[in-house]
Amino acid sequence: MSIFTVTYQLALADGEELDKKIRNLCLEQSVELPEKVLSKAIAEKIVGRVRQTIKRSDAVYEAVIAWPLDNAGTEIAQFLNLLYGNISLKPGIKILSADWSSLADTLFVGPRFGIDGIRDRFHIFDRALSATALKPMGSSVSDLADLAFRFAVGGIDLIKDDHGIANQNYAPFVKRVEACVKAMDRAARQTGQRSRYFSNITADAGEVEYRYRKAYELGADGVMICPHITGLPVLHRLARLDIDLPIIAHPAFAGPLTMDESRGFTPDFLYGQLWRALGADFVIYPNAGGRFSYNLSECMAVNESARQPYSPFKTSFPMPGGGIKIENIGRWTRAYGKDSCLLVGSSLYEYPGGIEAAARQFTTQLKEINYES
Amino acid sequence: MSIFTVTYQLALADGEELDKKIRNLCLEQSVELPEKVLSKAIAEKIVGRVRQTIKRSDAVYEAVIAWPLDNAGTEIAQFLNLLYGNISLKPGIKILSADWSSLADTLFVGPRFGIDGIRDRFHIFDRALSATALKPMGSSVSDLADLAFRFAVGGIDLIKDDHGIANQNYAPFVKRVEACVKAMDRAARQTGQRSRYFSNITADAGEVEYRYRKAYELGADGVMICPHITGLPVLHRLARLDIDLPIIAHPAFAGPLTMDESRGFTPDFLYGQLWRALGADFVIYPNAGGRFSYNLSECMAVNESARQPYSPFKTSFPMPGGGIKIENIGRWTRAYGKDSCLLVGSSLYEYPGGIEAAARQFTTQLKEINYES
C-alpha cells in the first residue's frame, strides 16, 4: 500500500496522554469513528499509523504519521482535508513537514518555472531580484501605469499589482494590464533593459482562471494570487494549466494558520513546503522586522524549504515583504542570499528623490553586493 | 459615497496606542502606504475611517470602521481581502461583526433556502431536525448506501456524506450518489417518510460546480462543501447558481481562524454571519462539550446570528456537531431550540442495538420534546 507521511508537533494539555492524542489524530483524520466500531479491514487499511515519536520538551512531542495515499485519491482538496481538516479545530496540533516525494506522482506538480526557470526568463543569473508593488488602491489606470513606468526605468526587476488592486472601478483589470504592459515596453525601449509586470488575478471562483489566460494574452509577465482567499486548490489548478506565466502567491488571509505556537502550520511548512508543492514560483511571506510577526529564523526556514534541492518539485523564489527598506537592502540580501526576490514597497514611495531614483537606489545596491561571501 | 462598516476587537500590546493601531488598520486594509505619501483625494476617498471606539477592558477595545464599498467592487474575493487580508498577519485584531445590510445589494446573496425554505422542502415545521454522517472513509458504495438506508428507515431527516468521503476509489462520487439516492427512495417506500441525502462535493477548483450539478441531476437532496478548503468564494458561487439544492458548509481547515482570543474571527462571525452571507443553508460548527473547542455561549452566539431576522439574508440552520449523543439529545435540543439541526455521528454507530434502532432513538426524542417551553 502506498503511503505518505506527515510530521506533527503535538503539545499535550494537562493530563493529556501522548498515545491517546496520536491515536485520536489517526482516527480523526481518516475514519472519524472510534476504533471499536471499525471492521478489521478498515482499521488496517484506512487509519493513520504512527511511525515515530520524539520528545522535544516536557509536554511537546513530534510524531510522524503514515497515511494511505488512497485516502487522498487524486484531489488536492481531499489532501488538505486529510492534512488539516477536523484537527484544525483541535488544540495542540501543528504541522511541521510532509514527505513530498510520495505526493508528487499522484497529487502535486510544484512550480512550473522555479528559480532556474525564472532566471532564464528574466536573464538574471548572478544576483537577487528586486520587486515592488503598484499602489495605492484608488489610483487610476494611467496613474498605475505611470508608476510602473517609473519603477521600470529605475530598473526594478519585478513590478506587481498590490494585492488590494483587483477589478474595482478605480482601475479595471483588463485596462490596467494593457496599460502596465505598455509601460514595460516603453521603459524597455528607453533603458534597453526589460522589467516584468505581474498582475493580481485574485478573484471569485471561475474568474481567476479567466484572468490568468487574459493576463497572458495581454502580455503580462506573470500573475499573483492570494490562495487563502481563492482557495488553495486554485493555485494548483493554475500551476497545471498550459499557460506560460509564472505565479506569485501572497499570504493575505492566511495569518492565523501560522501565528500560533501550538496550532496550524509553521511558516516554513506553509510558504516553503505547501505553496511550493502547490506550484508557486514566488512565495511572498511577512518578513522579520517588518510590520508583521515572524522572526528571522522562521524566515530563514521558509527560504531553506522553498529552495532546497531534495524535493520532487522545482524551487520557489522566496519573496520576503515588509520591513525591507532602501537603507537596509544590503543587510537583507546578504542574510537571504542571491536566490531571493526582495519585495520593497513603502520605502520606495517615501524616498525623497522620487520613484525612479528610489528604484535605482534599490537595484544598484543589489548589483553591488558580493554574492560570493 | 456608499460605505460598509466592520467591528473589530483590538487588543493592545504593551506600549501600543489605540489611535495608532486604528490608523494603521485603516491604511493597511486599503492603500497600504503611509499617510504622508497619499494624495488628498486618495486619503479622503479610499482609506477606512473610524466611526466609534468602545473600551472593553484595560487593553481591549472595540472599533467600528467604515470602508468605501467601491474598495470591494463586486467581488467576494476582494471583500475577504479588505476584511482580513494583510491584517490576518498582524496581532491583536479580531473581527466581531459587519454591517451586512450595506453588503447585500452589491456583494452577498445569502442562502437560497434558509430555515423556512428547508422546512418547506422537508415538510417538517414544528421541531428540530436530525442529521448524521455516512462513514467511515474506506467503505464501499454499497456499504455506504446500506448505511444510508438504515439511517433513513430509522427516520433521520438528513443523511450526509462524511466530509472525508470525496471521490476516492473506495466509493467514487457518481456511483455513491446514485446508490444513496436509491437507498432514500427504497426507505421511503418502506416507511412512507422521506429522508434526505446530502452528498459531499468538496473538490478541486472547477470540479465543485460540476459535482453540484451532477448531485442535482442524480437526485441528491442537497450538498456539502468545506469552504475553507475550496475557497470561500466557491460557496458563494454555488449559492448564486440556478440549481435547486440546499448547501451545508463544513468547518474543516477553518480551525485557527476562530480559536484565538485576540486574532481571527469569533465563531459567531465566521459561522453565523459570514457563512450565512455566503449562502450556507446549514452551518456545521464544532459543538461545545464535544471533541472540539467552543464553549456554550459561543455556540449560542452562532445560533443567534445564523437565525436572527434583522438580516438582509435568509436564515441558516445551525448544525452543531460533536459531543451530541443519543443520551443527551434532549438537553442539546432544549438548549438550541427547534430551529436547529443536530448532527450526531459516533453515538449512533456505537449504539448497541444497531444503526436503525439508534436512528429511531434519536428521532423519537426530537419529536417528543415540548418546543413551546
Side-chain angles (χ1 to χ4, degrees):
Chain A
M1 186 171 65
S2 298
I3 57 113
F4 65 96
T5 62
V6 177
T7 305
Y8 306 81
Q9 174 194 285
L10 302 175
L12 302 179
D14 271 2
E16 197 175 22
E17 290 164 28
L18 179 65
D19 286 355
K20 207 170 163 193
K21 192 173 186 84
I22 290 175
R23 195 66 200 148
N24 283 343
L25 202 170
C26 291
L27 293 165
E28 184 73 56
Q29 292 300 95
S30 57
V31 292
E32 277 195 76
L33 281 172
E35 203 153 10
K36 62 188 171 195
V37 304
L38 300 178
S39 72
K40 192 163 169 257
I42 297 268
E44 279 175 8
K45 267 202 280 187
I46 308 295
V47 177
R49 288 191 188 195
V50 65
R51 283 288 179 88
Q52 193 181 10
T53 57
I54 301 166
K55 186 165 183 163
R56 287 292 176 209
S57 71
D58 259 6
V60 180
Y61 293 79
E62 278 181 30
V64 179
I65 296 177
W67 303 97
L69 258 177
D70 286 348
N71 288 11
T74 56
E75 297 183 294
I76 301 296
Q78 175 57 12
F79 173 82
L80 294 170
N81 187 24
L82 294 177
L83 180 75
Y84 199 58
N86 268 6
I87 55 168
S88 79
L89 302 156
K90 291 184 151 185
I93 303 172
K94 184 161 183 157
I95 314 271
L96 303 179
S97 64
D99 167 21
W100 298 103
S101 64
S102 55
L103 294 162
D105 289 337
T106 54
L107 275 167
F108 289 93
V109 297
R112 195 178 308 130
F113 302 96
I115 294 176
D116 290 344
I118 297 293
R119 289 198 178 283
D120 284 343
R121 288 171 81 87
F122 283 28
H123 308 294
I124 302 169
F125 300 98
D126 51 2
R127 61 168 175 85
L129 306 187
S130 56
T132 191
L134 299 174
K135 48 189 174 183
M137 183 195 298
S139 304
S140 67
V141 164
S142 66
D143 285 349
L144 293 171
D146 181 55
L147 257 177
F149 175 76
R150 288 186 286 151
F151 279 129
V153 168
I156 302 279
D157 299 313
L158 191 162
I159 299 160
K160 69 172 192 68
D161 291 331
D162 190 30
H163 71 287
I165 292 181
N167 190 32
Q168 299 99 321
N169 283 333
Y170 310 135
F173 176 75
V174 169
K175 287 191 177 150
R176 182 175 80 245
V177 177
E178 285 170 346
C180 290
V181 168
K182 271 189 202 156
M184 294 299 107
D185 292 342
R186 197 156 58 91
R189 284 194 302 272
Q190 182 171 323
T191 64
Q193 269 203 322
R194 198 175 170 77
S195 295
R196 268 76 189 181
Y197 166 66
F198 280 54
S199 56
N200 176 28
I201 60 167
T202 306
D204 286 351
E207 182 70 15
V208 181
E209 190 174 328
Y210 167 78
R211 289 194 199 161
Y212 190 36
R213 290 187 191 283
K214 201 75 196 168
Y216 177 74
E217 284 167 26
L218 297 174
D221 301 290
V223 297
M224 177 175 75
I225 70 165
C226 304
H228 293 263
I229 289 176
T230 62
L232 288 166
V234 175
L235 170 55
H236 193 253
R237 164 90 179 156
L238 298 186
R240 289 175 65 184
L241 290 175
D242 190 23
I243 297 177
D244 196 31
L245 275 194
I247 303 167
I248 301 172
H250 185 288
F253 209 83
L257 254 180
T258 61
M259 297 293 185
D260 190 307
E261 273 192 13
S262 65
R263 217 186 249 288
F265 302 162
T266 56
D268 158 22
F269 181 78
L270 181 63
Y271 304 113
Q273 296 182 51
L274 185 58
W275 282 13
R276 179 177 176 182
L278 287 166
D281 295 292
F282 295 85
V283 299
I284 297 181
Y285 65 83
N287 189 39
R291 56 198 199 278
F292 306 106
S293 323
Y294 298 136
N295 62 39
L296 183 61
S297 71
E298 288 174 315
C299 295
M300 295 295 236
V302 171
N303 297 351
E304 170 74 21
S305 284
R307 299 188 293 216
Q308 60 92 352
Y310 313 105
S311 161
F313 310 122
K314 289 181 184 165
T315 50
S316 300
F317 245 117
M319 198 168 178
I324 310 181
K325 297 175 193 301
I326 291 185
E327 54 272 27
N328 62 28
I329 297 285
R331 174 160 71 88
W332 287 114
T333 312
R334 278 186 292 271
Y336 291 162
K338 75 171 181 174
D339 282 339
S340 330
C341 179
L342 274 68
L343 179 57
V344 181
S346 299
S347 170
L348 303 181
Y349 287 86
E350 293 175 285
Y351 192 70
I355 290 290
E356 201 182 309
R360 197 160 286 126
Q361 265 291 328
F362 179 9
T363 53
T364 305
Q365 285 185 72
L366 283 191
K367 289 174 191 165
E368 284 171 354
I369 287 164
N370 177 1
Y371 290 95
E372 307 308 310
S373 69
Chain B
M1 187 171 67
S2 297
I3 56 111
F4 66 95
T5 62
V6 177
T7 304
Y8 306 81
Q9 175 195 285
L10 302 176
L12 302 180
D14 270 3
E16 197 175 22
E17 290 164 28
L18 179 65
D19 285 354
K20 206 170 163 194
K21 193 174 185 84
I22 289 174
R23 195 65 202 150
N24 282 343
L25 202 170
C26 290
L27 292 166
E28 183 74 56
Q29 292 301 97
S30 56
V31 292
E32 280 195 72
L33 281 173
E35 204 153 10
K36 62 186 169 195
V37 304
L38 300 178
S39 71
K40 194 164 168 255
I42 297 268
E44 277 174 10
K45 268 203 280 186
I46 308 295
V47 177
R49 288 191 188 194
V50 65
R51 284 287 180 88
Q52 193 181 10
T53 57
I54 301 167
K55 184 165 185 164
R56 287 293 176 209
S57 71
D58 260 6
V60 180
Y61 292 79
E62 278 179 32
V64 179
I65 296 176
W67 303 97
L69 259 176
D70 285 349
N71 288 11
T74 56
E75 297 183 295
I76 300 296
Q78 175 56 11
F79 173 83
L80 294 170
N81 188 22
L82 294 178
L83 181 74
Y84 200 58
N86 268 7
I87 54 168
S88 79
L89 301 157
K90 290 184 151 187
I93 303 173
K94 184 163 182 156
I95 314 271
L96 303 178
S97 64
D99 167 21
W100 298 103
S101 64
S102 55
L103 294 163
D105 288 337
T106 53
L107 275 167
F108 288 93
V109 297
R112 195 178 307 130
F113 302 96
I115 295 177
D116 290 347
I118 297 291
R119 289 199 177 284
D120 284 344
R121 289 172 80 88
F122 283 27
H123 309 294
I124 301 168
F125 299 98
D126 52 1
R127 62 169 175 84
L129 305 187
S130 56
T132 192
L134 300 174
K135 47 189 174 182
M137 183 197 295
S139 303
S140 67
V141 164
S142 66
D143 285 348
L144 293 171
D146 181 55
L147 257 176
F149 174 77
R150 290 186 284 151
F151 279 129
V153 168
I156 302 281
D157 299 314
L158 191 163
I159 299 159
K160 69 172 193 67
D161 292 331
D162 190 29
H163 71 287
I165 292 181
N167 190 32
Q168 299 100 322
N169 283 334
Y170 310 135
F173 177 75
V174 168
K175 286 190 177 151
R176 182 175 81 245
V177 177
E178 284 171 345
C180 290
V181 168
K182 272 189 200 157
M184 294 299 107
D185 292 342
R186 195 154 60 89
R189 284 194 301 274
Q190 182 171 320
T191 65
Q193 271 201 321
R194 197 172 171 79
S195 295
R196 268 77 189 181
Y197 167 66
F198 280 53
S199 56
N200 176 29
I201 59 167
T202 306
D204 286 350
E207 182 70 15
V208 182
E209 189 174 329
Y210 167 80
R211 288 193 199 162
Y212 190 37
R213 291 186 191 280
K214 200 75 196 169
Y216 176 75
E217 285 168 24
L218 296 173
D221 300 290
V223 296
M224 177 173 77
I225 70 165
C226 304
H228 294 262
I229 289 175
T230 61
L232 288 165
V234 175
L235 170 55
H236 192 253
R237 163 91 179 155
L238 297 185
R240 290 175 64 183
L241 291 175
D242 190 23
I243 296 176
D244 195 32
L245 275 193
I247 302 166
I248 300 172
H250 185 287
F253 210 81
L257 254 180
T258 61
M259 297 295 187
D260 189 308
E261 273 191 15
S262 66
R263 216 187 251 286
F265 302 161
T266 57
D268 159 21
F269 181 78
L270 181 63
Y271 304 115
Q273 296 182 51
L274 184 58
W275 282 13
R276 180 178 176 182
L278 287 166
D281 296 292
F282 296 85
V283 298
I284 297 182
Y285 65 84
N287 189 40
R291 58 195 197 278
F292 305 107
S293 323
Y294 297 137
N295 63 39
L296 184 61
S297 72
E298 287 174 314
C299 295
M300 295 296 235
V302 171
N303 297 351
E304 170 74 19
S305 284
R307 299 189 293 217
Q308 61 92 355
Y310 313 105
S311 162
F313 310 122
K314 289 181 184 167
T315 50
S316 299
F317 244 118
M319 199 167 179
I324 310 181
K325 297 174 192 302
I326 291 185
E327 54 272 27
N328 63 26
I329 297 285
R331 174 159 73 86
W332 287 114
T333 313
R334 277 186 292 272
Y336 290 161
K338 75 172 181 175
D339 282 339
S340 330
C341 179
L342 275 68
L343 178 57
V344 181
S346 300
S347 170
L348 303 179
Y349 287 86
E350 293 176 283
Y351 193 70
I355 290 291
E356 200 182 310
R360 198 162 284 125
Q361 266 291 327
F362 179 10
T363 54
T364 306
Q365 285 184 73
L366 282 191
K367 288 173 189 165
E368 284 171 353
I369 287 164
N370 178 2
Y371 290 94
E372 307 308 313
S373 68

